[in-house]
């Protein structure tokens, strides 16, 4: 058996989907894509699911039928998949590299391979530099320049891992260490703990239960031996007495440090960072007559230094006369000054969300029915969801026209009545993710929009308009009195697509005037709005929503990454509309 992460399995299924699409095969590509979407956001590892119940349990994963389950089983048993290898022989291109490039999809990659023999990023850049792509039918000079720009962007993003995609594996390693009988505490520090959008590596801190130094040495050795022999380890950089370092099969570097119980809080604070926050904190300590480092907080008495604190982070901040500062805002952007005045905001908590205002179903490009998405939302503790399937302009996502969306309302009402008959306190709301067209008009008429409970709008085309055009386009859309939310406002896809060019301050100003909510899309490679813009919204009094952009029942699990981004933007519960009761949400919308 080979332990493979959910993200790796999802990537393989996505690759199969694209290779099948390149062969103009119908229906199958979408099935693999849906299975990939479900797996990458599972709260439980596929490897563990298989070990519990074999093929039968794999088939219970949303979107995974018997044929796909068998392929996953083959992957787990052998580490390989013959079906994928056969597909690759027919089109031997490096999809992982080429799909990083915004604008390249299955058909364009196929054409580039067939006409120019392009297999990877190096081939692509060479062809673009030689002006070969511009001469291809369907591309042209503008496309060639976009490709060169996208290659540059991809290179800047390389070497880092998207938080939400790497977190399940990271947390599994952390949990494994905590299960060792020798371990007292184990925690991932660094940018992972600060919940940065992407991380470069992992820093894990461990304390041992044994206080006897001689016995502790033996226990530490067992921990280090266990760590370097984990199934995910590809290469061991160092295998030391108190520190070891490895590279995982997916390329992620992981360091493990054993620290004393007395220094645990100080070490956690130091290795969590950020560097700028730590420097500012040490300066505060010096001004108050202390010395702060990874071993503790010390007071200089004559020629000696006396250990004052270090067991917990909380006691360090307290002795320095500060509020405890949550890891997500430790960036030296004003948090230290406010903590000294006891004026830090109470950040939204990870359990505060009551609803999800952007949920897709199999009416458009989701993998599950309205009822299936609803039952899943209930499991994740939500009280309401808004069904926001795409509209007709997004034909690739099977978007809804006026006739189909009205039929969907009947289905929503049917499921609501079923829940009520079962005594379940939950509400499904009628919504839409309505496309903003090039001129800022909307993809559905007002006579439809005014009948919806909540109207979300978003951009899915013309990403390259200039700043003025793009800003005016959005302003026109959100000025429609029927519009409640602007979904994923900057359209970025982390490590793939840059933000569209907009005047974010102007959009925030108009949103505030019109009472329009700006979304924090929690999907791991979006996190849009990003934290800097969230903070601008908080300061301007613009309300926000944290939504999963769910396309599969398991996607409600990713709401936590949106909450993390909201915390990084200093948002409180009062700033996040779907942390409110449904009654309060409607009260707010009525005041527009």
């Amino acid at each position: 058996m080979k332990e493979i992460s959910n993200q790796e399995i999802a990537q393989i299924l996505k690759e199969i989907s694209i290779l099948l699409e390149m062969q103009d095969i119908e229906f199958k590509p979408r099935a693999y894509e849906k299975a990939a979407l479900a797996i990458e956001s599972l709260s439980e590892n596929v490897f563990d699911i298989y070990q519990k119940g074999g093929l039968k349990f794999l088939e219970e994963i949303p979107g995974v039928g018997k044929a796909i389950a068998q392929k996953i089983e083959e992957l787990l048993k052998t580490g390989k998949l013959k079906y994928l290898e056969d597909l690759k022989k027919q089109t031997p291109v490096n999809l992982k590299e080429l799909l990083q490039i915004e604008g390249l999809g299955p058909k364009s990659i196929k054409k580039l391979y067939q006409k120019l023999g392009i297999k990877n990023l190096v081939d692509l850049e060479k062809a673009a530099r030689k002006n070969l792509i511009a001469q291809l039918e369907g591309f042209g000079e503008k496309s060639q320049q976009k490709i060169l720009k996208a290659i540059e962007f991809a290179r800047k993003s390389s070497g880092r891992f998207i938080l939400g995609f790497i977190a399940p594996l990271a947390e599994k390693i952390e949990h494994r260490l905590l299960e060792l009988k020798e371990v007292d505490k184990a925690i991932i520090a660094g940018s992972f703990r600060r919940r940065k959008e992407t991380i470069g590596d992992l820093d894990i801190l461990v304390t041992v239960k044994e206080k006897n130094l001689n016995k502790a040495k033996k226990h530490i050795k067992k921990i280090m031996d266990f760590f370097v022999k984990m199934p995910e380890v590809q290469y061991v950089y160092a295998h030391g007495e108190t520190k070891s370092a490895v590279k995982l099969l997916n390329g992620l570097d992981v360091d493990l440090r054993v620290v004393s119980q007395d220094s645990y809080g100080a070490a956690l604070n130091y290795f969590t960072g950020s560097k700028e926050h730590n420097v500012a904190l040490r300066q505060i300590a010096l001004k108050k007559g202390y010395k702060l480092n990874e071993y503790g907080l010390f007071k200089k008495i004559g020629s000696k230094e006396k250990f004052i604190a270090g067991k917990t982070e909380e006691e360090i901040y307290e002795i320095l006369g500060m509020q405890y500062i949550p890891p997500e805002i430790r960036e030296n952007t004003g948090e230290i000054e406010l903590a000294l005045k006891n004026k830090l905001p109470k950040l939204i908590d990870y359990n505060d969300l009551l609803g999800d205002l952007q949920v897709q179903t199999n009416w458009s490009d989701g993998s599950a029915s309205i009822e299936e998405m609803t039952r899943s939302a209930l499991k994740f503790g939500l009280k309401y969801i808004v069904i926001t399937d795409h509209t007709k302009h997004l034909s690739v996502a099977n978007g809804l026209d006026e006739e189909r969306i009205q039929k969907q309302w009947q289905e929503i009402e049917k499921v609501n009545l079923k829940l009520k008959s079962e005594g379940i306190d939950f509400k499904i709301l009628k919504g839409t993710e309505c496309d903003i067209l090039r001129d800022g008009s909307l993809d559905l008429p007002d006579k439809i929009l005014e009948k919806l409970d909540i109207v979300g709008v978003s951009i899915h085309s013309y990403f390259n308009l200039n700043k003025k055009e793009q800003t005016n386009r959005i302003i026109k859309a959100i000025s429609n009195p029927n519009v409640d939310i602007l979904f994923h406002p900057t359209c970025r896809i982390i490590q793939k697509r840059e933000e569209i060019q907009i005047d974010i301050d102007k959009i925030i100003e108009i949103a505030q005037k019109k009472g329009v909510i700006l979304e924090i899309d929690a999907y791991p490679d979006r996190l849009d709005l990003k934290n800097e813009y969230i903070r601008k919204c908080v300061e301007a009094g613009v309300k926000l929503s944290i939504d999963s952009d769910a396309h599969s029942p398991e996607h409600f699990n990713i709401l936590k990454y949106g909450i993390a981004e909201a915390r990084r933007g200093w948002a409180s519960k009062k700033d996040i509309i779907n942390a409110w009761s449904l009654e309060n949400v409607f009260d707010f919308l009525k005041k527009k």
Side-chain angles (χ1 to χ4, degrees):
M1 286 286 290
K2 184 172 174 60
E3 187 158 354
I4 304 173
S5 72
N6 288 4
Q7 185 59 23
E8 288 171 291
I9 293 169
Q11 283 302 123
I12 287 166
L13 296 179
K14 282 180 186 177
E15 197 169 349
I16 291 170
S17 168
I18 292 156
L19 288 167
L20 288 170
E21 196 173 336
M22 288 168 79
Q23 294 181 12
D24 298 319
I25 293 171
E26 293 185 1
F27 309 119
K28 266 190 175 184
R30 186 71 187 122
Y32 279 93
E33 186 185 351
K34 284 182 177 180
L37 282 168
I39 285 168
E40 71 183 2
S41 295
L42 278 174
S43 51
E44 189 176 4
N45 282 312
V46 172
F47 179 82
D48 296 335
I49 292 170
Y50 182 73
Q51 283 200 314
K52 278 184 202 171
L55 199 62
K56 185 183 174 184
F57 274 38
L58 291 181
E59 289 177 43
E60 290 177 9
I61 299 170
V64 175
K66 189 172 183 179
I68 294 176
Q70 286 171 341
K71 289 175 177 64
I72 294 170
E73 182 180 49
E74 184 184 336
L75 261 175
L76 295 173
K77 282 184 173 181
T78 68
K80 296 177 182 178
L81 185 54
K82 188 178 183 300
Y83 185 63
L84 176 60
E85 289 169 3
D86 290 343
L87 286 171
K88 280 181 173 179
K89 284 174 188 173
Q90 295 171 54
T91 318
V93 295
N94 188 328
L95 285 176
K96 187 177 180 183
E97 285 189 4
L98 293 175
L99 287 169
Q100 291 179 74
I101 306 306
E102 171 63 13
L104 289 191
K107 289 178 182 175
S108 53
I109 291 171
K110 181 181 179 181
K111 183 179 275 191
L112 288 167
Y113 170 67
Q114 288 180 338
K115 300 291 185 184
L116 299 174
I118 291 170
K119 295 181 180 181
N120 51 44
L121 219 52
V122 172
D123 292 346
L124 185 69
E125 185 173 16
K126 280 180 183 176
R129 300 280 181 208
K130 289 178 181 178
N131 202 39
L132 298 175
I133 294 172
Q135 296 170 45
L136 270 185
E137 186 185 346
F139 284 87
E141 181 61 33
K142 279 189 178 178
S143 294
Q144 185 168 265
Q145 289 307 312
K146 275 175 64 179
I147 284 168
L148 285 168
K149 189 178 177 184
I151 289 170
E152 187 183 338
F153 179 67
R155 287 212 174 105
K156 279 193 295 183
S157 307
S158 65
R160 295 189 67 81
F161 296 79
I162 293 173
L163 172 70
F165 293 154
I166 206 70
L169 174 60
E171 287 160 358
K172 183 171 186 175
I173 291 170
E174 181 185 67
H175 183 68
R176 265 199 216 129
L177 290 166
L178 281 167
E179 285 185 323
L180 296 177
K181 67 179 189 295
E182 295 84 5
V183 170
D184 180 39
K185 296 185 185 78
I187 189 168
I188 304 170
S191 54
F192 184 91
R193 187 169 179 240
R194 301 202 317 279
R195 287 303 191 248
K196 294 276 282 185
E197 297 155 1
T198 63
I199 62 166
D201 52 30
L202 292 180
D203 291 296
I204 307 177
L205 302 183
V206 162
T207 62
V208 293
K209 292 174 182 175
E210 182 56 61
K211 291 187 177 179
N212 180 294
L213 193 60
N214 289 327
K215 287 183 181 178
K217 282 182 180 179
K218 292 178 185 177
H219 290 183
I220 292 168
K221 186 178 184 305
K222 284 183 181 179
I223 295 166
M224 290 298 176
D225 289 348
F226 174 85
F227 175 70
V228 299
K229 290 173 184 174
M230 292 188 303
E232 299 88 356
V233 171
Q234 182 183 50
Y235 181 78
V236 178
Y237 294 116
H239 184 183
E241 291 181 8
T242 58
K243 180 188 172 184
S244 291
V246 300
K247 180 185 281 293
L248 304 186
L249 290 164
N250 63 4
L252 181 68
D253 288 342
V254 186
D255 288 357
L256 177 68
R257 289 176 174 84
V258 174
V259 298
S260 73
Q261 289 186 18
D262 287 342
S263 296
Y264 173 75
L268 181 58
N269 188 262
Y270 178 86
F271 286 107
T272 295
S274 67
K275 182 181 177 182
E276 294 77 11
H277 176 87
N278 288 353
V279 169
L281 205 60
R282 287 198 296 271
Q283 288 171 347
I284 296 291
L286 286 170
K287 285 177 185 175
K288 292 179 176 283
Y290 297 103
K291 176 184 171 183
L292 177 63
N293 57 31
E294 64 192 273
Y295 303 105
L297 185 67
F298 300 87
K299 183 81 172 177
K300 196 166 184 180
I301 301 171
S303 60
K304 295 183 179 180
E305 289 179 346
K306 183 183 178 184
F307 179 85
I308 302 295
K311 270 193 172 183
T312 68
E313 289 186 310
E314 287 82 357
E315 67 183 15
I316 291 170
Y317 282 108
E318 186 179 349
I319 290 168
L320 293 178
M322 306 168 72
Q323 277 177 279
Y324 175 76
I325 300 176
E328 295 93 337
I329 61 171
R330 295 182 194 173
E331 302 293 344
N332 195 28
T333 55
E335 75 278 6
I336 285 177
E337 292 79 359
L338 287 180
L340 286 165
K341 296 174 185 175
N342 200 36
K343 288 186 177 180
L344 280 177
K346 187 180 187 307
L347 302 181
I348 183 164
D349 189 75
Y350 285 96
N351 297 311
D352 278 343
L353 290 191
L354 298 177
D356 191 334
L357 309 188
Q358 192 191 164
V359 176
Q360 269 68 233
T361 73
N362 58 10
W363 279 76
S364 64
D365 62 340
S367 67
S369 68
I370 292 168
E371 183 171 353
E372 286 169 330
M373 294 302 285
T374 299
R375 301 282 180 189
S376 182
L378 275 162
K379 287 178 188 174
F380 282 93
L382 299 179
K383 297 289 185 184
Y384 55 89
I385 57 172
V386 185
I387 301 300
T388 57
D389 282 301
H390 294 287
T391 53
K392 58 190 176 185
H393 184 254
L394 206 64
S395 56
V396 70
N398 191 29
L400 278 62
D401 58 17
E402 293 91 323
E403 185 180 342
R404 287 182 66 218
I405 197 169
Q406 290 180 81
K407 285 182 180 176
Q408 188 187 67
W409 299 347
Q410 296 170 19
E411 180 67 20
I412 288 171
E413 191 54 37
K414 183 180 168 185
V415 180
N416 269 326
L417 287 171
K418 187 175 182 181
L419 294 174
K420 191 175 180 181
S421 71
E422 295 174 18
I424 296 171
D425 181 20
F426 190 93
K427 186 72 174 174
I428 312 163
L429 301 175
K430 302 191 298 286
T432 180
E433 182 176 0
C434 190
D435 244 42
I436 301 173
L437 306 180
R438 193 187 195 283
D439 65 353
S441 60
L442 301 176
D443 196 23
L444 288 174
D446 286 337
K447 66 180 181 181
I448 294 290
L449 297 179
E450 64 192 15
K451 292 177 182 176
L452 292 164
D453 296 311
I454 290 181
V455 173
V457 296
S458 60
I459 285 173
H460 291 102
S461 58
Y462 299 105
F463 298 118
N464 293 307
L465 296 181
N466 66 43
K467 189 173 184 177
K468 185 179 179 181
E469 287 178 307
Q470 204 71 273
T471 302
N472 289 340
R473 178 190 186 190
I474 291 175
I475 287 172
K476 181 179 175 181
I478 65 175
S479 295
N480 183 313
N482 291 308
V483 171
D484 302 306
I485 308 175
L486 176 61
F487 288 148
H488 45 74
T490 73
C491 301
R492 74 166 179 173
I493 299 179
I494 298 169
Q495 295 184 345
K496 182 170 181 181
R497 183 170 69 213
E498 293 187 270
E499 299 173 10
I500 55 174
Q501 294 298 303
I502 53 173
D503 184 340
I504 190 67
D505 295 317
K506 186 68 178 171
I507 288 168
I508 288 171
E509 178 191 336
I510 300 299
Q512 197 276 331
K513 284 179 183 174
K514 302 289 183 183
V516 171
I517 301 151
L518 298 189
E519 183 192 52
I520 305 165
D521 189 312
Y523 210 82
D525 62 0
R526 281 196 182 271
L527 297 180
D528 181 12
L529 290 170
K530 63 182 180 183
N531 63 302
E532 297 101 306
Y533 296 165
I534 293 167
R535 194 163 173 187
K536 283 175 181 276
C537 289
V538 169
E539 290 166 358
V542 170
K543 298 307 174 191
L544 300 147
S545 67
I546 299 170
D547 304 321
S548 65
D549 198 354
H551 284 67
S552 167
E554 285 293 331
H555 284 171
F556 296 109
N557 183 50
I558 65 178
L559 283 166
K560 59 192 174 190
Y561 303 117
I563 296 169
E565 195 73 4
R567 286 170 66 88
R568 284 173 43 72
W570 295 46
S572 302
K573 188 175 178 179
K574 64 181 174 58
D575 302 307
I576 308 297
I577 195 164
N578 53 319
W580 308 352
S581 70
L582 202 48
E583 184 183 4
N584 288 343
V585 172
F586 282 132
D587 284 345
F588 173 82
L589 294 175
K590 282 175 190 173
K591 292 174 186 174
K592 285 180 59 180

